[in-house]
Amino acid sequence: MKKKPISLALQGGGALGAYTWGALDRLLEDERLEIKAVSGSSAGAMCAVVLADGLHDGPEAARAKLRAFWEGVAQAGRSNPYRRTPLMAFLSAFQPAWLQQNYAALWAGMTSQVASPYDLNPLNLNPLREMLGELVDFERVRACNQLQLFIGATNVETGRIRIFRTDELTADHVMASACLPQIFHAVEIDGVPYWDGGFTGNPALFPLFDVQETSDIVIVQIHPIERSGTPRTAADISARETEITFNASLLSELRAIDFVARLMDQQKLPEGRYRKMLIHNLSEGTALTPLGTGIDLNTDLNFFNQLFETGRSAAEIWLGSHFEAIGKRSTVDLGAMFRRAPEGGEPLR
């Protein structure tokens, strides 16, 4: 049976990236699919390079490599008695509720408001980089011919996204994509400072437009677009602000894809110069965690395994419902998202 080619777009989200691990595990298990390209930022970028390294030895090796990575993250989280290392700061994905955990964390949080990582971490120690460098063979990643990689980072000076591609990737490029500026020094590459790619592309979709083998983009989304109700506490407000911020670039790109598709349907674009992209969303459908609970700080392996199973289950449901649509049509209704009137409101434009 001929395999169906797809591209993947992996969101960043700290510890919640274990959901992406589960989704990838199930997709790799399906012999009907072939992953041709992956775009990722932050935790999504880490999953992407681990996946590419493992695929040198086949899908089963990639599944094993992803498990080893997340088990390594859990082990690193257990190594600190206060559980507030730079690793934990990354995994919190800017969530403020960790302040409620203990007095040591509270002190650290207050300090971070008046001191930068250049003051608090002058040696720029980063356990994530050490672990990634030990686990991933970047020579194999750069030589990977099974799929194309697109890793997003934010240029600090211009505020624009920079996409790093397969043949140039090192641990520094991935850490640039995962650089939270409140915690880590900016990562300099060729003299240019970079911060987390989630600010400008979470994940970036536009690099996948040029992947000729497929028009299907499967987004593995971990930040919910919608939540009911108005946040009231400081922690909940900040957490929801983060979700909105980290989804803003994704929504902008989806709106552009929808706009181009409509112009193509109306035959208003030159024939042959544009492609209609087919968009799919492999999300749980509901938020993975409540607002402001700080549960995404949890590096316990049991928590990761719960997210893993949630991701696998979501992928299983998505495959059962939408596999036949791959290569034929989008399974995300962008018209409903952007053009139809929400209840009690005006049409989105």
Side-chain angles (χ1 to χ4, degrees):
M1 181 179 66
K2 185 178 179 180
K3 294 185 177 184
K4 289 193 174 186
I6 60 172
S7 293
L8 297 176
L10 309 181
Q11 265 201 338
L16 299 182
Y19 171 89
T20 301
W21 164 34
L24 291 176
D25 189 80
R26 180 61 187 90
L27 294 177
L28 288 165
E29 195 176 64
D30 197 313
E31 296 180 350
R32 302 171 299 171
L33 293 175
E34 185 174 8
I35 302 170
K36 288 295 187 179
V38 184
S39 176
S41 290
S42 205
M46 293 188 179
C47 284
V49 297
V50 173
L51 169 68
D53 185 19
L55 274 178
H56 265 277
D57 300 317
E60 289 303 311
R63 294 174 67 197
K65 182 76 76 168
L66 284 162
R67 174 169 290 279
F69 172 75
W70 285 99
E71 289 179 348
V73 171
Q75 177 62 40
R78 287 195 297 268
S79 67
N80 184 272
Y82 297 108
R83 304 181 66 79
R84 185 55 187 171
T85 62
L87 173 65
M88 290 301 299
F90 166 75
L91 293 175
S92 74
F94 294 128
Q95 295 290 344
W98 63 271
L99 293 173
Q100 304 167 11
Q101 301 302 312
N102 52 50
Y103 291 114
L106 177 61
W107 177 86
M110 293 173 62
T111 302
S112 69
Q113 301 303 309
V114 297
S116 82
Y118 296 87
D119 303 313
L120 299 175
N121 185 13
L123 298 179
N124 199 25
L125 301 177
N126 191 331
L128 273 172
R129 191 190 189 289
E130 295 174 10
M131 186 178 67
L132 196 67
E134 291 174 0
L135 181 67
V136 176
D137 184 339
F138 278 92
E139 286 189 12
R140 296 210 316 172
V141 171
R142 291 189 293 273
C144 180
N145 56 17
Q146 286 96 330
L147 76 168
Q148 300 178 61
L149 293 179
F150 305 98
I151 302 303
T154 300
N155 183 316
V156 178
E157 296 174 331
T158 67
R160 301 189 184 114
I161 192 168
R162 166 71 187 274
I163 299 298
F164 299 110
R165 298 171 187 265
T166 312
D167 60 0
E168 62 184 322
L169 291 176
T170 66
D172 284 339
H173 294 91
V174 180
M175 296 318 301
S177 182
C179 178
L180 300 183
Q182 292 89 343
I183 306 301
F184 300 125
H185 298 201
V187 178
E188 289 200 7
I189 297 173
D190 296 329
V192 178
Y194 292 96
W195 283 343
D196 196 290
F199 293 127
T200 48
N202 195 27
L205 302 184
F206 69 88
L208 301 174
F209 300 169
D210 294 328
V211 179
Q212 296 302 313
E213 295 91 340
T214 180
S215 296
D216 291 88
I217 299 176
V218 181
I219 304 167
V220 181
Q221 186 171 357
I222 54 184
H223 290 289
I225 290 177
E226 297 183 2
R227 280 188 187 263
S228 300
T230 303
R232 300 288 183 179
T233 68
D236 286 357
I237 291 169
S238 182
R240 183 57 182 150
E241 179 187 20
T242 294
E243 289 178 342
I244 292 170
T245 300
F246 275 6
N247 277 324
S249 59
L250 175 62
L251 288 172
S252 294
E253 288 201 80
L254 290 175
R255 185 186 290 274
I257 290 170
D258 177 56
F259 180 66
V260 169
R262 282 189 286 130
L263 292 180
M264 292 182 70
D265 289 341
Q266 297 165 10
Q267 298 183 330
K268 292 182 178 179
L269 291 177
E271 187 174 349
R273 291 188 60 186
Y274 297 88
R275 286 198 302 158
K276 183 179 290 188
M277 306 307 297
L278 307 180
I279 304 300
H280 315 275
N281 194 325
L282 200 167
S283 67
E284 174 63 6
T286 58
L288 292 173
T289 61
L291 276 176
T293 60
I295 196 171
D296 58 338
L297 283 170
N298 189 354
T299 57
D300 185 80
L301 185 58
N302 290 330
F303 175 63
F304 285 165
N305 283 333
Q306 290 173 12
L307 286 171
F308 169 84
E309 293 298 338
T310 302
R312 268 193 64 92
S313 176
E316 180 72 35
I317 293 170
W318 182 82
L319 286 167
S321 300
H322 300 305
F323 178 80
E324 293 303 321
I326 297 173
K328 300 176 182 177
R329 64 183 185 276
S330 291
T331 55
V332 174
D333 188 346
L334 297 180
M337 186 179 293
F338 295 118
R339 297 195 304 279
R340 297 174 192 165
E343 184 176 353
E346 295 297 323
L348 297 170
R349 300 189 186 278

